[in-house]
Amino acid sequence: MEQFEAVYDKYYRKLYLFLLRLSGNRSLAEELTQETLYKAFLHIDQYEGRSSLYTWLCKIAKNNWLTEVNKRKYFAEPEEWWESDSGESLEETVMERQMRQWMRQEIIYLPEPYVSVCSLRIYAELSYKEIAAGFNRSESWAKVTFFRGKTMLMERMEKYR
């Protein structure tokens, strides 16, 4: 139990930020972070060590987020767009957040493994090496898969221009 407390302490914030980037919603990110760590605790025996523990946790978190999206058809709440924490104009802030929102909406329609690889690279900021280890593939595979997924995502987002 003490070992899992160390895992919780070490990865809670990183997982929360990953899920916040994915969902665009603070309360949903917190809920999904708790759920992810709970599932990891229940199924820690399934962690094979082929990838880093963080990569494994991110895959669980991404799957929890996709389940939530499919269940609720949930995306970021518009009122969060009005919170500006930079020196940008309100219009620039809203437009940037709208583009991120559209990207979150479109990424879920990519086929696997593209949705997983793109989510892990963009939102969890994992290296290609970490992603490759999580899929038991080569680093080249991770780079090519991300490039193809990014291309598909950009094609999907063309309708917003």
Side-chain angles (χ1 to χ4, degrees):
M1 185 66 138
E2 288 178 25
Q3 290 176 331
F4 199 78
E5 284 180 29
V7 168
Y8 184 95
D9 291 341
K10 183 174 182 178
Y11 294 110
Y12 181 88
R13 179 139 176 84
K14 286 176 77 171
L15 283 171
Y16 170 77
L17 292 173
F18 168 57
L19 286 161
L20 181 60
R21 287 183 203 112
L22 273 176
S23 68
N25 180 281
R26 290 181 184 110
S27 61
L28 180 60
E30 189 167 327
E31 180 183 324
L32 291 174
T33 302
Q34 294 288 341
E35 185 177 333
T36 297
L37 290 165
Y38 177 70
K39 285 182 178 179
F41 176 75
L42 292 178
H43 303 287
I44 194 71
D45 58 312
Q46 294 177 9
Y47 174 62
E48 299 172 354
R50 287 184 289 149
S51 63
S52 72
L53 184 58
Y54 180 61
T55 302
W56 183 69
L57 291 169
C58 284
K59 288 176 83 173
I60 295 170
K62 186 252 332 160
N63 289 336
N64 287 339
W65 173 70
L66 287 174
T67 299
E68 191 66 26
V69 166
N70 289 329
K71 184 170 56 174
R72 292 194 210 178
K73 296 295 181 203
Y74 181 88
F75 294 102
E77 297 172 7
E79 60 265 17
E80 291 182 1
W81 297 347
W82 303 103
E83 297 173 14
S84 181
D85 44 346
S86 69
E88 296 178 334
S89 72
L90 181 58
E91 181 181 13
E92 289 171 330
T93 301
V94 170
M95 289 305 296
E96 181 181 320
R97 291 182 182 185
Q98 180 64 59
M99 287 300 286
R100 286 194 305 252
Q101 170 67 12
W102 287 331
M103 188 166 77
R104 281 192 292 272
Q105 286 177 251
E106 292 302 323
I107 204 167
I108 64 172
Y109 296 110
L110 297 178
E112 282 294 347
Y114 303 107
V115 66
S116 292
V117 171
C118 288
S119 296
L120 293 171
R121 181 75 178 143
I122 294 168
Y123 299 114
E125 300 177 355
L126 294 182
S127 69
Y128 292 116
K129 185 176 183 176
E130 291 171 309
I131 293 169
F135 286 89
N136 202 24
R137 299 291 190 100
S138 70
E139 196 171 334
S140 296
W141 173 87
K143 288 177 182 178
V144 169
T145 303
F146 176 71
F147 176 78
R148 289 177 181 163
K150 184 175 75 169
T151 301
M152 284 187 263
L153 183 58
M154 293 181 76
E155 288 171 3
R156 290 194 62 86
M157 291 190 61
E158 278 299 313
K159 64 185 172 189
Y160 298 110
R161 293 190 181 242

